Amino acid sequence: GGIIAAHLRDEADAFEEAVEEFLYVMRQSGAKCVLSHHKAAYPQNHGKVKKTLAMVEKANAEGYDVHVDVYPYPASCTNLSARFIPALLSKS
C-alpha cells in the first residue's frame, strides 16, 4: 500500500536501464509509483523516451500502478541560485 516517488539514477546513456531498474523495484514492492521528471538527457538519447513510456504502459497493463511526470518547460533543472541572480545583477 506504499508509494514510491523517485528520480532515476541515470537520464542519459543508461536511461533505459534506469527505467527497468525503477520498474523492477516497483514490481518487487507492490507500491504505487511515480517516476519523477521522466526525460532523456542529451540529444542522442531523446528518442529513448518512446521505449521507456512503452515500458511504463506495459507495467500498467499488467496491473501495476505507475505514473510519470515531466518538466513543463525545456530546461533540465533550476537550482537555488536562480532565485538570487536578479538581486545580484541589480547591485552591479
Side-chain angles (χ1 to χ4, degrees):
I3 298 172
I4 298 171
H7 284 85
L8 294 175
R9 65 175 170 80
D10 192 306
E11 296 173 339
D13 296 333
F15 177 56
E16 295 161 314
E17 293 84 356
V19 172
E20 287 175 5
E21 179 180 79
F22 174 81
L23 294 173
Y24 174 80
V25 170
M26 178 207 61
R27 286 181 173 105
Q28 295 303 306
S29 70
K32 296 177 182 179
C33 293
V34 177
L35 193 163
S36 294
H37 305 159
H38 180 263
K39 66 186 176 301
Y42 309 113
Q44 69 270 21
N45 297 310
H46 288 174
K48 292 180 178 181
V49 297
K50 293 176 184 174
K51 180 176 179 184
T52 56
L53 287 173
M55 294 162 61
V56 169
E57 289 175 356
K58 180 178 184 250
N60 281 316
E62 294 170 351
Y64 295 98
D65 193 0
V66 58
H67 304 271
V68 300
D69 65 30
V70 297
Y71 287 118
Y73 51 90
S76 64
C77 71
T78 304
N79 52 37
L80 189 58
S81 66
R83 173 72 177 105
F84 299 105
I85 297 283
L88 294 173
L89 292 175
S90 66
K91 292 182 181 182
S92 302

